[in-house]
Amino acid sequence: MGQLTDGLRVQIKVIQALTSRELMTRFGRENIGFLWIMAEPLLFAGLVGIVWTYLRGPEAYGIGILAFVVTGYVPLTFLRHSFSRSASIFVANSSLLYHRQIKVLDFIFVRVLIEAIGAMMAFIFAGIVLGFFGLFPWPADIVALVVGWAIYVIFVLGVCTMLAPLSEVSEVVEKLVPVSVYVAIPFSGVFNLASWLPPATRDALMWSPMVSGMELMRYGVFGDAVTPHYDIEKALGISIVTLLVGLILCRRVRRTMTVT
């Protein structure tokens, strides 16, 4: 038990050190510094929300357009940044592997963690500001919101553990990583609710854990104003399988990787 506690303490220190290093490397100390991890999703969701409001009006299907865009596009920026930053992640950090306590999985975990925290900060900030102007409802079910967000994060983490080692062994995969973002968008549940789709299309999309996560998040925000469709068991099962495959790939790549 003592060894487990010591190991956990060391692992937490490693994550903290890598997180600080990543933030300093990416954002530095100039301007607003690490707050850019929140500003980037806000800018993206804000601009898209303005365009949607101009094209479709302030409300559709009984829910506010701005709130609908924020609940979809903020998680989408988390997905996009996590996927794109998974490419060549081991090459950029391989020199740190001289430290025995640092593992290849730490690099992936830290980057996904930073993106998840930035997206959550953007989500909360946008909700508070829009809520002040009456454009964002108080969450109807916070548990559903948190569970949906957790499913979304776990699945994205699993995909990143696959993309990172595959981009290490193949330049083709490395070049295709940015494309994976666009492939994932139709299966992310960003642009519509599942209840708006034909039953056959909806059933097919239920195989995507991101759709279940997004449906739960939107039900958590809008409550009975929407009719959610989700399958938590299927979403968690697929996410865990994806994560296990990613862990196996990371282990195999670490055996053949040259530390420079």
Side-chain angles (χ1 to χ4, degrees):
M1 189 63 184
Q3 289 183 342
L4 179 62
T5 304
D6 292 341
L8 183 60
R9 189 180 299 115
V10 170
Q11 195 63 32
I12 291 174
K13 289 182 177 178
V14 168
I15 296 299
Q16 289 175 337
L18 289 177
T19 302
S20 299
R21 177 181 179 274
E22 182 75 15
L23 290 173
M24 287 298 299
T25 302
R26 285 175 54 184
F27 304 109
R29 297 181 183 275
E30 303 296 328
N31 299 318
I32 59 175
F34 73 90
L35 289 178
W36 274 112
I37 63 174
M38 180 183 72
E40 289 179 4
L42 278 176
L43 288 173
F44 184 60
L47 291 174
V48 174
I50 292 172
V51 173
W52 276 44
T53 303
Y54 176 75
L55 294 176
R56 304 187 181 189
E59 190 173 307
Y61 296 96
I63 55 178
I65 284 292
L66 269 176
F68 181 80
V69 169
V70 167
T71 55
Y73 274 82
V74 170
L76 179 63
T77 57
F78 159 66
L79 177 151
R80 185 184 66 176
H81 291 170
S82 298
F83 281 12
S84 61
R85 294 188 183 282
S86 297
S88 305
I89 190 173
F90 298 149
V91 174
N93 296 281
S94 62
S95 60
L96 295 176
L97 292 173
Y98 276 114
H99 300 282
R100 188 180 57 181
Q101 294 87 352
I102 298 178
K103 313 297 181 187
V104 292
L105 279 175
D106 294 333
F107 304 139
I108 304 171
F109 182 77
V110 165
R111 289 198 175 180
V112 173
L113 176 66
I114 289 174
E115 299 301 338
I117 291 175
M120 282 191 289
M121 290 169 59
F123 195 102
I124 294 171
F125 183 83
I128 292 174
V129 173
L130 292 176
F132 180 79
F133 293 102
L135 299 172
F136 199 96
W138 177 258
D141 190 334
I142 293 180
V143 174
L145 178 60
V146 173
V147 171
W149 181 245
I151 290 174
Y152 206 92
V153 172
I154 293 172
F155 180 71
V156 170
L157 175 64
V159 174
C160 289
T161 59
M162 295 174 62
L163 291 176
L166 290 175
S167 67
E168 180 73 21
V169 299
S170 170
E171 290 188 3
V172 175
V173 175
E174 180 184 347
K175 302 298 182 187
L176 290 177
V177 166
V179 180
S180 66
V181 176
Y182 298 100
V183 173
I185 287 177
F187 306 99
S188 64
V190 171
F191 299 110
N192 49 262
L193 291 169
S195 58
W196 299 350
L197 302 173
T201 305
R202 181 169 60 235
D203 292 342
L205 287 178
M206 282 297 103
W207 286 97
S208 169
M210 293 184 292
V211 173
S212 288
M214 189 70 73
E215 290 283 303
L216 276 167
M217 281 190 276
R218 281 176 166 152
Y219 175 70
V221 172
F222 299 110
D224 293 335
V226 300
T227 304
H229 293 266
Y230 55 85
D231 190 332
I232 295 178
E233 291 183 0
K234 183 186 290 184
L236 285 178
I238 294 173
S239 299
I240 291 172
V241 169
T242 305
L243 189 57
L244 289 175
V245 172
L247 293 177
I248 294 171
L249 290 173
C250 286
R251 186 179 178 85
R252 291 178 66 87
V253 164
R254 180 64 186 94
R255 289 175 178 173
T256 59
M257 192 165 60
T258 302
V259 178
T260 58

